[in-house]
Amino acid sequence: DGGITQSPKYLFRKEGQNVTLSCEQNLNHDAMYWYRQDPGQGLRLIYYSQIVNDFQKGDIAEGYSVSREKKESFPLTVTSAQKNPTAFYLCASSRGNRGVFGEQYFGPGTRLTVT
Amino acid sequence: KQEVTQIPAALSVPEGENLVLNCSFTDSAIYNLQWFRQDPGKGLTSLLLIQSSQREQTSGRLNASLDKSSGRSTLYIAASQPGDSATYLCAVRDNYGQNFVFGPGTRLSVLP
């Protein structure tokens, strides 16, 4: 089955620790995205990548870092510099190269709680 | 900067009603618009994608329209069912294709 997987589903960390969220897709999509969702708010873009070894900051990149070493994988690290890391994190991918962009598909999400 | 709003924020209807959800965006220079459904605690499920050159798309009981010049899209749900209860979000992709901007969503409850 093609799709996007995120792990783990729930993650608990102590304040001051870095944590890495996994996102893998087997849809052969070029573009991948990380969003954050807070209660009662829409999704906000953290980072996106349109090609391997390249990524761009979204609206709320401060305190986060990413890498894109493989087409299938786009891990997100939440660093200790992120002031309010507790949130629901969603990974997405879409076809996107040569000016042609398709539907965005989402993973099931990771709920991060930092205490 | 693109801004997306959705009206109403919440909606409760009896089963069987036809209903319309609204999405507005401030910059008409969009590449496409996508409607999603989100169940509590879950990821987003794509419902319909409308390219900027299209006026509407249909899938089963769902019909989405796009009026790019006025910055509006509507999602029409026919003969609503309790299983349609969820939050519905719209998102617009900018004309460079690089970025999606999401609306805050409409929380729909369909009562049996």
Side-chain angles (χ1 to χ4, degrees):
Chain A
D1 284 336
I4 303 174
T5 57
Q6 291 184 245
S7 61
K9 187 173 181 178
Y10 299 97
L11 193 51
F12 298 89
R13 280 293 182 269
K14 295 287 188 186
E15 197 172 320
Q17 292 180 336
N18 291 354
V19 60
T20 297
L21 282 60
S22 167
C23 177
E24 304 276 333
Q25 55 99 359
N26 61 3
L27 299 168
N28 199 33
H29 286 166
D30 291 293
M32 296 187 74
Y33 310 81
W34 273 107
Y35 294 91
R36 170 185 173 135
Q37 187 176 35
D38 294 283
Q41 296 192 34
L43 277 68
R44 292 183 290 169
L45 182 66
I46 305 173
Y47 268 99
Y48 63 98
S49 168
Q50 293 201 315
I51 196 169
V52 172
N53 292 324
D54 186 54
F55 46 83
Q56 308 294 329
K57 292 183 180 180
D59 298 323
I60 56 165
E62 186 175 346
Y64 299 97
S65 66
V66 293
S67 63
R68 187 88 187 274
E69 296 176 2
K70 298 186 298 182
K71 188 176 185 178
E72 316 81 70
S73 178
F74 191 40
L76 173 74
T77 296
V78 184
T79 75
S80 56
Q82 168 49 232
K83 290 183 172 49
N84 296 299
T86 294
F88 189 46
Y89 290 88
L90 288 158
C91 178
S93 73
S94 74
R95 187 167 54 95
N97 60 6
R98 299 180 189 154
V100 178
F101 300 96
E103 279 180 272
Q104 205 169 54
Y105 293 90
F106 279 80
T110 291
R111 187 165 299 280
L112 173 64
T113 302
V114 177
T115 57
Chain B
K1 182 184 174 185
Q2 179 75 271
E3 291 183 5
V4 181
T5 55
Q6 291 186 246
I7 294 174
L11 183 62
S12 186
V13 300
E15 181 177 4
E17 273 204 9
N18 302 327
L19 55 98
V20 174
L21 308 181
N22 296 291
C23 171
S24 298
F25 46 95
T26 54
D27 186 349
S28 62
I30 65 169
Y31 185 88
N32 58 34
L33 182 146
Q34 195 168 355
W35 280 94
F36 297 89
R37 167 193 173 127
Q38 185 177 31
D39 294 291
K42 306 287 188 185
L44 277 65
T45 300
S46 178
L47 297 174
L48 289 164
L49 174 73
I50 309 178
Q51 301 295 348
S52 62
S53 58
Q54 296 175 321
R55 299 282 297 188
E56 65 178 325
Q57 282 285 344
T58 298
S59 175
R61 294 182 294 109
L62 305 179
N63 175 276
S65 67
L66 174 64
D67 184 344
K68 205 172 69 162
S69 61
S70 66
R72 288 188 292 194
S73 176
T74 60
L75 179 67
Y76 176 82
I77 303 177
S80 58
Q81 304 170 357
D84 294 331
S85 298
T87 296
Y88 290 80
L89 298 104
C90 68
V92 297
R93 194 193 277 272
D94 66 34
N95 232 359
Y96 303 102
Q98 293 183 347
N99 203 355
F100 269 102
V101 177
F102 279 80
T106 293
R107 191 171 66 252
L108 172 66
S109 296
V110 181
L111 307 174

